[in-house]
Amino acid sequence: MKTVACVVLPGFAPFEFGVACEAFGLDRSDDGIPNFDFRVVTPTPGVVPSKIGFSINVDADLSFAYEADLVVISPIPHEYWDDVDERVLDLARHAVARDAWVLSVCSGSFVLAAAGVLDGRRATTHWMYAEKMASLYPEIDVDPNVLYVQDGRIITSAGTAAGLDACLHLLRLELGAEMTNTIARRMVVPPQRDGGQAQFIARPLPETSSLSLAPVTDWMLENLRLDLPVDQLAARAHMSPRTFARRFKADYGTTPAAWLGRQRIIHAQRLLEQTDLGLDAIASACGFGSAAVLRQNFGRTLGLTPTAYRARFTCTAAAPAELEAIAS
C-alpha cells in the first residue's frame, strides 16, 4: 500500500477526518516508517464545509482516488445518507471491483452501503446509527457491537476513536506489528484494541485505583508463555472468577480469553518480525503450546500463515540480547 485517498464531503466530521490524516498522512520516515502518498479529495474541488462551522479547501477531485491503493471514506451527516453524490458511489464501486482497500469511518459506512458494496457482507457503524443502517439496507449484516469489521478488503469502523483502531489494524496488515506499534506510540494510543472488542465499555476508567485490573493485565503480558486460566487471574485480582470475568468485560470490552489471545498473536508477530526463532519456540514463548496451535490461531486472526507473515515483515536482525528480551 503506497497511495491513500481520503474522500471528504460537505458536512464532514473533523475528528474522524483527522484520524485518516494522522494515520496515513504524516511523515514518519525518521522512525523508519515508509511514507504514503496521501491526498484529500472531493467530487467538486473547492471549499468543503465541516459539520461544526469551519471549512477546508480541497484542491483535488476524485481522479487520484480511482488509482489509490486505499480509499478512506470520511463520515457524512445523516441528512445526506439517502442522497450521496453519485460520483462517490461510483468511486466506491470501482475501488471494490479493482480490489483496493476501502475503509469507512463512523457514518462513512452509509456511503458504502448506498453504493451497494456492503450487500451480503458483515459491517459496522456507530452504535447510534446501526439500527438505521440495518433498516435501510437489510442485505447488510450490521454488527452494532464491535469497533470495526474487516470483510475482504473492506473495513468499516464504529464512531470516533474506533476509526483509529481500524486504521491501525490496516497498518498492521500492511506494515507489520512493530512498525504499527511505533506509529501507535507516537499517537500515544494503545496499538492492540481488536475489532471484536465492544464499542461500549461500561467503565472506561476504574472507580478507584485499587480496583484497576491493570496490575493483572500487566502480569499477563509478562507471562504469556504460561497457561493463564481465569481462576488464577481472578485470584491475583482478589476476586471470584465470575466477578473477575464480569469486571474484565466491563473495563476492556471483551473477555479475558479473547484479550489474552490477541496479546499472544501480537507477541508472535513481533517474534516473527524480529527474530529467527522457529515456530515451536515462538509458540512456546507466546503460550500457544505448539506450532500447530500457533498456525491455527495466527491464520484465523490475520488470514495468513506465520511463515508467510515472516517472509513479508522480517526486520533487520536484532542483537542477541534484544532477541532474548523479546522472546522472554
Side-chain angles (χ1 to χ4, degrees):
M1 190 174 75
K2 297 180 179 179
T3 53
V4 180
C6 180
V7 180
V8 290
L9 295 168
F12 72 93
F15 182 93
E16 288 81 352
F17 165 66
V19 161
C21 297
E22 177 78 16
F24 304 109
L26 294 187
D27 182 349
R28 298 186 176 94
S29 55
D30 288 348
D31 288 330
I33 310 297
N35 287 326
F36 300 107
D37 183 355
F38 175 84
R39 306 184 197 180
V40 179
V41 302
T42 194
T44 303
V47 175
V48 181
S50 75
K51 72 175 186 178
I52 59 172
F54 71 86
S55 301
I56 60 174
N57 190 65
V58 181
D59 296 327
D61 62 16
L62 299 179
S63 301
F64 175 76
Y66 273 90
E67 304 296 331
D69 300 322
L70 165 64
V71 176
V72 180
I73 306 294
S74 296
I76 59 173
H78 63 85
E79 56 264 33
Y80 293 106
W81 287 350
D82 58 357
D83 188 28
V84 181
D85 192 308
E86 191 64 36
R87 291 170 291 180
V88 179
L89 300 183
D90 287 341
L91 168 65
R93 297 175 188 125
H94 184 270
V96 172
R98 63 185 175 86
D99 207 28
W101 281 110
V102 178
L103 187 153
S104 67
V105 182
C106 194
S107 62
S109 57
F110 280 82
V111 174
L112 303 182
V117 299
L118 296 181
D119 290 355
R121 296 179 184 265
R122 181 167 166 261
T124 194
T125 190
H126 194 291
W127 60 267
M128 291 176 60
Y129 310 138
E131 186 175 345
K132 182 69 172 179
M133 174 174 279
S135 174
L136 288 174
Y137 303 102
E139 302 86 358
I140 303 172
D141 179 10
V142 181
D143 189 339
N145 299 313
V146 297
L147 295 178
Y148 57 85
V149 170
Q150 179 189 346
D151 190 318
R153 291 175 69 85
I154 300 177
I155 300 174
T156 52
S157 69
T160 313
L164 186 53
D165 293 307
C167 292
L168 288 171
H169 169 72
L170 178 53
L171 287 168
R172 186 173 289 108
L173 293 175
E174 287 291 324
L175 301 180
E178 194 59 28
M179 284 191 181
T180 303
N181 288 350
T182 298
I183 293 171
R185 282 194 297 271
R186 281 193 52 170
M187 292 180 179
V188 198
V189 296
Q192 73 271 13
R193 291 214 300 174
D194 189 37
Q197 187 165 321
Q199 286 192 37
F200 180 75
I201 299 177
R203 191 177 8 249
L205 294 173
E207 294 174 3
T208 71
S209 59
S210 63
L211 296 178
S212 172
L213 295 180
V216 179
T217 55
D218 288 346
W219 183 83
M220 292 166 71
L221 291 173
E222 294 169 0
N223 294 277
L224 292 175
R225 64 174 64 244
L226 304 179
D227 184 27
L228 299 175
V230 170
D231 288 358
Q232 181 181 359
L233 300 174
R236 294 192 69 87
H238 306 291
M239 299 177 184
S240 70
R242 288 185 63 183
T243 299
F244 176 79
R246 185 170 62 249
R247 275 291 315 280
F248 199 99
K249 182 69 177 290
D251 286 2
Y252 290 89
T254 190
T255 66
W259 187 89
L260 180 60
R262 184 57 179 152
Q263 306 315 308
R264 284 174 166 155
I265 289 293
I266 290 172
H267 191 43
Q269 288 177 270
R270 294 191 68 211
L271 294 177
L272 288 165
E273 292 177 25
Q274 299 192 13
T275 79
D276 59 0
L277 293 172
L279 293 188
D280 283 320
I282 291 175
S284 177
C286 297
F288 287 116
S290 70
V293 176
L294 169 63
R295 290 190 192 95
Q296 181 182 24
N297 284 272
F298 205 90
R300 184 171 61 243
T301 302
L302 298 178
L304 72 169
T305 66
T307 301
Y309 184 91
R310 170 171 270 167
R312 183 174 180 182
F313 294 116
T314 295
C315 302
T316 303
E322 293 178 277
L323 299 182
E324 182 177 351
I326 293 171
S328 61

